[in-house]
Amino acid sequence: MKVLYAKAALYSYAHLEAVAEQIDEIVEKKAFSSSMNFTPALNQFEEIIGLTYQKDIVYALKLCADAALKHFSEREKDFLDYKYFHLKPKEYYKDFDASSRGYFRRQVRLAQKFAECLGKAGYSDERFEQECLSVEFFREMLSRVKEKENLSRKNKTEKEKEQIRRVKSKIAHNAESGDISQSAAAAEMVSA
């Protein structure tokens, strides 16, 4: 399964019960207001069936996500909760290092592992596209994940450009001062 889809599922996970409840409320309102609705009964019935199908999709993803999360240690679940679920209180994470390179690498690995586990639990890319993306909530969540990824890539590129600019500036300064050994070392850093 694509990591983007897995991330959308992770961000959605804590909200799946609420989404299912909202669908129930909509179905109930449509059923009660059907006597005042003058569209054909078959159209109303199909709309309610469609909403019920969306609820089934939400619960199917929840069950697969629950199965996938069984393959994670408590520490890994803490990392997932910190970034995606936000179910535990902030005080729980008071000594949590969320700014180190190790944290970001771990989050990448956990998202990949979750994608693999979801795939093993029965969620392929095709299933996610056909089922989940038929529900507006998941389309919006995927859109937000893509937006975050693009912003992250853009920020990373800008940081890399700034680092290269600083190194080149240092090379130029060292070359002007006649310190060739420092310029060679800085040039090596740029090419690495």
Side-chain angles (χ1 to χ4, degrees), residues 86-168:
H86 308 288
L87 297 173
K88 295 181 180 173
K90 288 183 180 183
E91 298 81 39
Y92 183 85
Y93 296 105
K94 67 179 179 176
D95 296 325
F96 200 73
D97 180 19
S99 60
S100 69
R101 289 176 63 183
Y103 165 80
F104 292 106
R105 287 185 187 133
R106 179 171 282 166
Q107 286 293 1
V108 168
R109 284 193 309 271
L110 290 174
Q112 289 170 338
K113 179 179 177 180
F114 186 75
E116 291 169 10
C117 291
L118 264 186
K120 290 176 185 174
Y123 257 87
S124 63
D125 290 341
E126 295 79 24
R127 181 176 177 189
F128 188 87
E129 290 164 0
Q130 289 174 352
E131 293 180 7
C132 292
L133 295 182
S134 70
V135 178
E136 178 63 30
F137 173 75
F138 294 117
R139 286 193 305 268
E140 179 62 29
M141 194 60 71
L142 182 61
S143 172
R144 289 181 183 186
V145 169
K146 286 179 180 178
E147 196 174 292
K148 250 184 185 179
E149 292 286 317
N150 288 337
L151 184 63
S152 176
R153 249 184 245 114
K154 182 180 175 185
N155 288 341
K156 185 178 178 182
T157 302
E158 288 174 7
K159 285 179 185 177
E160 289 170 349
K161 286 179 182 177
E162 176 60 23
Q163 185 179 17
I164 290 170
R165 188 196 60 73
R166 280 185 289 184
V167 171
K168 285 182 177 179

